[in-house]
Amino acid sequence: MNHPIADVSLIKPCLLVIMGVSGCGKSKLAKGLQQQLNWPFQEGDSLHSAQNIQKMSEGTPLTDEDRLPWLEKCHDWLKEREVSGDGCGILTCSALKKSYRDILRKDIRGSFYFIYIDVPQDILLQRLQKRKGHFMPASLLSSQLETLDTPDADENFIKITVRNDPFEEVLQKVLLQLQHISLKS
């Protein structure tokens, strides 16, 4: 079946936060978007402190207090991208709670969208159990799902539901939605 292909030249510069629980495919989607759009990319996990990574590696969920410095680093990267002159960038961040997303978009004046990747729990668990070399154990999935506040209509988000869809189809769906938003604005 043929699917429409986005014309990336029509997508206006904006800031994107690829969000969702561990194992949903944030990094893969962000890297695909970066390749298509040629925008700066920041892996949010690399902004975590050594203490946070150690805590998660041991199977201990992070508290709001643990996450705050990390969220502020993520926000600072976004703000830097906004003021750098080009106003575009792609950040991966779980952004599980509305209050976390509020921190991320604080004082951002330009175009900003969360891309929320929604994946059924059974598929997430399968992915996490197969994943190698990542500090986030599958045992923390239930805590992330309990913490997750799905984005509200006022949060400027694109929801992409993923089951076992081919990656290229998922990427094109997101690009088409960004193209649609760009053409409306």
Side-chain angles (χ1 to χ4, degrees), residues 75-98:
H75 168 268
D76 292 348
W77 186 85
L78 290 164
K79 191 65 180 173
E80 181 181 307
R81 297 305 324 144
E82 180 184 43
V83 300
S84 71
D86 56 11
C88 61
I90 303 163
L91 171 77
T92 57
C93 178
S94 54
L96 298 174
K97 290 184 178 181
K98 186 175 189 321

Side-chain angles (χ1 to χ4, degrees), residues 150-167:
T150 56
D152 294 325
D154 68 337
E155 292 190 80
N156 278 352
F157 76 98
I158 295 168
K159 179 180 178 181
I160 186 81
T161 301
V162 178
R163 304 253 181 301
N164 288 314
D165 310 78
F167 173 70

Side-chain angles (χ1 to χ4, degrees), residues 119-180:
V119 180
Q121 185 172 352
D122 60 323
I123 295 172
L124 289 167
L125 192 55
Q126 288 171 10
R127 289 178 179 184
L128 289 173
Q129 289 170 339
K130 291 178 187 174
R131 188 158 72 173
K132 304 276 187 254
H134 196 278
F135 59 82
M136 183 74 165
S139 61
L140 288 180
L141 177 60
S142 60
S143 126
Q144 284 210 327
L145 290 168
E146 288 167 15
T147 302
L148 178 65
D149 297 330
T150 56
D152 294 325
D154 68 337
E155 292 190 80
N156 278 352
F157 76 98
I158 295 168
K159 179 180 178 181
I160 186 81
T161 301
V162 178
R163 304 253 181 301
N164 288 314
D165 310 78
F167 173 70
E168 190 58 36
E169 283 181 29
V170 173
L171 178 61
Q172 284 302 315
K173 285 179 188 177
V174 172
L175 288 167
L176 284 167
Q177 289 194 47
L178 289 169
Q179 176 183 314
H180 178 73

Side-chain angles (χ1 to χ4, degrees), residues 6-12 36-37 179:
D7 180 348
V8 297
S9 70
L10 299 175
I11 298 173
K12 294 179 182 175
Q36 292 291 315
L37 299 169
Q179 176 183 314

Side-chain angles (χ1 to χ4, degrees), residues 48-114:
H48 271 297
S49 68
Q51 295 87 350
N52 280 3
I53 290 171
Q54 179 68 32
K55 199 170 183 179
M56 289 183 282
S57 297
E58 293 169 353
T60 304
L62 297 180
T63 64
D64 287 353
E65 186 176 297
D66 294 327
R67 285 186 178 101
L68 184 59
W70 170 65
L71 290 165
E72 288 172 344
K73 284 182 184 177
C74 290
H75 168 268
D76 292 348
W77 186 85
L78 290 164
K79 191 65 180 173
E80 181 181 307
R81 297 305 324 144
E82 180 184 43
V83 300
S84 71
D86 56 11
C88 61
I90 303 163
L91 171 77
T92 57
C93 178
S94 54
L96 298 174
K97 290 184 178 181
K98 186 175 189 321
S99 61
Y100 302 166
R101 296 189 293 274
D102 290 342
I103 292 168
L104 293 172
R105 68 174 163 249
K106 178 182 68 182
D107 299 326
I108 303 285
R109 307 258 183 270
S111 294
F112 183 107
Y113 302 97
F114 291 102

Side-chain angles (χ1 to χ4, degrees), residues 28-45:
K28 186 171 186 172
L29 180 59
K31 289 173 185 171
L33 289 168
Q34 184 206 21
Q35 288 175 346
Q36 292 291 315
L37 299 169
N38 199 28
W39 292 356
F41 164 62
Q42 175 64 56
E43 176 63 59
D45 281 347

